[in-house]
Amino acid sequence: MVVVAIAVFLGAFLLFLVQPLIGRIIVPWFGGGAPVWTASLVFFQTALLAGYGYAAFVTRRLSPRAQAGLHLALLAASLITIPLSPDPSWKPTGSAMPAPRILALLATTIGPTYVLLAAGGPLLQAWLARRGKVPWRLFALSNLASLAALLAYPFLVEPWLGLTSQRWVWSVAYVAYAALVGLLAWRQWRDGAAASLPATAPAMQAAAPAGEAEGRPWLWIVLAAVPSALLIAVTEYLTRDVAPMPLLWIPPLVLYLATFVIWFDGNLPYYRPMWLATAALAIMAMAMAMMTSSLTYRLVPSLMVYCSGLFLVTLFCHGELVALRPPPSRLGGYYLCIAVGGAIGGGVIGLLFPSVLPNAFDLEIVLGVAAAVLALRAVALGHTALVIGACAVASVAMAFAGWAGWKRYDNTRYDVAILRNFYGTLRVMDDKEDTPDYYRQLTHGTIIHGTQMMAPDKRRWAVGYYRNESGIGRLIRSLPEGPRKVGVIGLGTGGLAAHSRAGDTYRFYDIDPAVVAVAGKYFTFLSDSPATIDVVLGDARLSLEREKRQGYDVLAVDAFSGDAIPLHLITLEAIDLYLEHLAPSGVLAVHVSNKFLNLPPVIERAAQARGLAIVMARDLDDEGTIQSDWVLLARHPALLDRPLIKPIIVPIVTRPDWRPWTDDHVDLLRVLKK
C-alpha cells in the first residue's frame, strides 16, 4: 500500500508539474498570451480522459497479467521521449488560429507520456482493489499531489531553475516513476489473476454509499463537466475583466483540486440540502459581483467572491460525485466519466465558446447551467418540502445568472463592434458622439488598446499612451529630418502612425487578425497616414527572426495581452534580436506602464547585461497622474541625450539582485507589484 501511494503521489505530481513546464516552453511560440494556457489546459483534460479510458479498458478487458505486461511495455516505450523537448518546427508560420497547432504539438510531444501518467492512478488503484483494499483515499492523495505541483512550480521551481534544468529534472523524475510503476506491474504480472482475489472479492463488490443506485454515468459526466467549465470560465473572467495579471490562474485551480482532496479523503460529511443551498448562494453572489462595476480592478474582493463561489459550487458537484460513487468494481468507468466531464467542460469553454459566441457570456452561461444542475439534484432530496424549497432556491440562482447575462448584453449592445476569437474579446466603443470631443476606443477586457478623436480636424491627433508629451511621442519628434523608419510591436488602433510624416515607413507587427481588422475598419490612423504603412500578421519575435535586417530608427515594443507584456518579448534574446533590426543610431522603446508588474528593473538589468544606455521617460498629465512609462535603450548614451526627452526622465529603481530574464529563466514572482 505504501509503495502504491508513493507511485500515485509521484505520478500525479509529475502530471501537473509538466503542465506549466511545457506551457512555459510553447507559450512564447504562440504570442505569449493567456489563451495559449487555456488551449493547453483543454489538451491536458482530453489527455487525462484518454488515460482514464485506457485504464478503464484494460482493467475490464484484460487479465491482470496482460494488464501488467502491456503497461510495462508502454512505460518502456515512453522513455524514448525523454528528455522532454518540444520540436521548434511546430512554431507557427502563418496567420491561422493557433489552437489546432497547439493541440497537435502537445499530442506529439508530451501526449503519450501524459496519457500513461494519467492512467497510472486509476490503474494502480484497480490493482490494489483486486487485493481486497478500497482505494478511494488514493484519489484524494493524487489530487493533493496535483495541488502541490501547481504551487511548487511558481514558488519553488521557476524562481530557481531555468527551463533546461526543469526539463531534465522532470525527465529524471519520470524515469524514477516509470521504474516504480514497472516494479508494481511486474509484481502484478508475477502474481497473476489466480494469486489475487477473484473479481467477486468483497472489496470489489463493496456497497457504495447511500444513493449509489443513482450513480448513472451521464450524471457523473454532468457533475464533473460543470466544475471544469466553471474553473475555466472563472479564470478567464478574472484575467479578462478584473485583473489581467500573471499567475492568477493558480488560486481557482488550487481550490478546484482541493475539493477532490476534501471529499475523497472521506473526512467531511456530505449533507445535500446544506451544500446545495451554499452552492446556490455562491452562484447568486458571483452573478451580483459581475453586475457591480466597482469591483473592476479590485483584485482582493473579486478573488474572494469568485474563488469562494467556484469552491462552493465545485464542492457541491464533487460531493455529489462522491455520494454517487459505485463499488470499486466500477472504478475504471467511474474515473473515465469524471475525465469525460472534465474534457467536455473545458473544451466547451476553452475552444467552442470563443468560436461561436460573439461576446464573452461564458461565465453567465456556466452559472445558469450550474443552477440547473442544482435543481436537478434537488429532486433527489426525496422530501416534498425540501424538493420544492431547493428547486425554488436553484431557480432564483438561475435567474441571477440570467440577469448577469442581460446586464452584459445591455452594457455592450451599443458598441460599434465586438469581435471575439482565440486571443480574446475586442470592443470598439464611441463616447461623446455629439460633442467636439467625440472619440472612439478599443478595449481588450478592461485594458484600453487605443483611442482616436473622431472629429475630422482631430483624427490625426496622437492621444493616450502615444500623445506628443509621452516618451515615444517625444522620441519620434526628436528624430532628425528626413525619412524615418519605425517598427511597432503591437498594432492596437495604429495610434503611433499619428506621428508619421510623408516619406516615413511604419511597420506594425501583431499576432491577432481581429486587431488588424479593427484597426483598418473602425479607425483611420493607418489610412490617414501619409507614410508607407506595412502590417505583419504573426508573433512579432518570430516575424523578426525570419526577416532581413530592417534598420529601424525606432523600434517600439507595445504588445499587450491584457495588461501583461508577453514575457518572451523582453528577454535578453529578444533584446539581441531588436538590436539586429535597429539602425546603428536607432533607439528601442519599451512600453512598461503596468498595474501589476514592475518591469523597468527587468529592462534595466537587460541593458546592463548588453552594455546599453537606458532611461525611463514618464509622461504626467496636468494633475500629476502618470499617463505612460516608456523605457528607452540605445547603443550610446548620446542617442538618448535629447532636449525633448530630458524633461520627463525619471530614475529607474535598480534591482541588482535580479537576474536578467532569458528565454530559459523568467521569475514572475519578483516583479509582481506589492
Side-chain angles (χ1 to χ4, degrees), residues 214 216 218-223 226 272 276 316-317 320 324 368-382 387 390-395 398:
E214 302 177 56
R216 295 178 290 273
W218 70 266
L219 188 53
W220 296 336
I221 292 173
V222 170
L223 290 169
V226 169
R272 181 174 289 135
L276 190 151
F316 168 78
C317 292
E320 286 288 303
L324 302 175
V369 171
V373 171
L374 297 185
L376 174 68
R377 296 310 299 151
V379 178
L381 292 172
V387 170
C391 285
V393 170
S395 299
M398 203 180 310

Side-chain angles (χ1 to χ4, degrees), residues 89-293:
S89 65
W90 283 103
K91 292 181 179 181
T93 56
S95 59
M97 284 293 104
R101 196 174 187 91
I102 293 171
L103 298 178
L105 182 160
L106 293 171
T108 56
T109 300
I110 191 63
T113 304
Y114 194 90
V115 168
L116 287 176
L117 279 171
L123 193 58
L124 292 176
Q125 291 178 56
W127 292 351
L128 192 64
R130 280 195 157 273
R131 296 176 176 273
K133 299 179 180 179
V134 179
W136 295 117
R137 299 190 78 174
L138 289 179
F139 191 63
L141 180 67
S142 69
N143 282 279
L144 182 63
S146 304
L147 193 155
L150 289 173
L151 294 176
Y153 189 82
F155 295 104
L156 297 177
V157 177
E158 190 174 43
W160 301 105
L161 296 177
L163 280 177
T164 302
S165 298
Q166 292 176 33
R167 291 192 297 111
W168 277 103
V169 169
W170 188 92
S171 299
V172 169
Y174 179 76
V175 172
Y177 167 80
L180 186 59
V181 175
L183 175 64
L184 294 170
W186 174 80
R187 182 187 298 173
Q188 173 79 355
W189 182 87
R190 181 196 63 192
D191 294 344
S196 297
L197 293 176
T200 56
M204 296 293 288
Q205 299 299 326
E212 184 273 328
E214 302 177 56
R216 295 178 290 273
W218 70 266
L219 188 53
W220 296 336
I221 292 173
V222 170
L223 290 169
V226 169
S228 174
L230 187 59
L231 167 66
I232 295 183
V234 165
T235 303
E236 285 188 343
Y237 183 83
L238 287 173
T239 55
R240 181 191 67 233
D241 291 348
V242 177
M245 62 180 291
L247 304 181
L248 202 54
W249 55 272
I250 293 178
L253 188 52
V254 165
L255 292 172
Y256 172 85
L257 292 172
T259 62
F260 281 119
V261 178
I262 290 169
W263 289 127
F264 282 87
D265 189 55
N267 292 324
L268 187 67
Y270 183 72
Y271 181 58
R272 181 174 289 135
M274 180 184 73
W275 293 114
L276 190 151
T278 57
L281 291 174
I283 291 172
M284 296 179 207
M286 285 188 281
M288 285 295 296
M290 295 176 71
M291 295 181 280
T292 307
S293 59

Side-chain angles (χ1 to χ4, degrees), residues 467-484 486 499 501 504 506 553-554 585-587 589 615 617 632 638-649:
R467 65 184 195 149
N468 289 337
E469 295 80 6
S470 68
I472 188 66
R474 290 169 181 261
L475 172 63
I476 293 176
R477 289 193 294 128
S478 69
L479 293 176
E481 294 295 325
R484 305 169 299 183
V486 177
H499 294 285
R501 303 179 306 197
D504 290 351
Y506 275 64
D553 297 302
V554 172
S585 60
V587 177
V615 297
L632 311 179
L639 296 173
L640 303 178
D641 187 19
R642 307 185 185 216
L644 270 178
I645 297 174
K646 280 183 177 180
I648 63 169
I649 290 178

Side-chain angles (χ1 to χ4, degrees), residues 534-551:
D534 292 323
V535 178
V536 179
L537 186 59
D539 178 74
R541 185 164 162 185
L542 295 180
S543 298
L544 287 168
E545 287 174 356
R546 297 170 182 141
E547 292 180 350
K548 64 180 182 180
R549 295 185 178 181
Q550 295 295 318

Side-chain angles (χ1 to χ4, degrees), residues 359-384:
N359 203 340
F361 292 105
D362 305 18
L363 184 53
E364 294 92 330
I365 292 174
V366 176
L367 291 178
V369 171
V373 171
L374 297 185
L376 174 68
R377 296 310 299 151
V379 178
L381 292 172
H383 192 284
T384 303

Side-chain angles (χ1 to χ4, degrees), residues 614-625:
I614 180 172
V615 297
M616 185 163 77
R618 171 166 290 169
D619 175 23
L620 302 177
D621 64 13
D622 295 337
E623 298 178 357
T625 301

Side-chain angles (χ1 to χ4, degrees), residues 45 224-226 228-230 232 340-350:
Q45 289 176 318
V226 169
S228 174
L230 187 59
I232 295 183
V340 169
I344 291 174
V348 167
I349 303 301

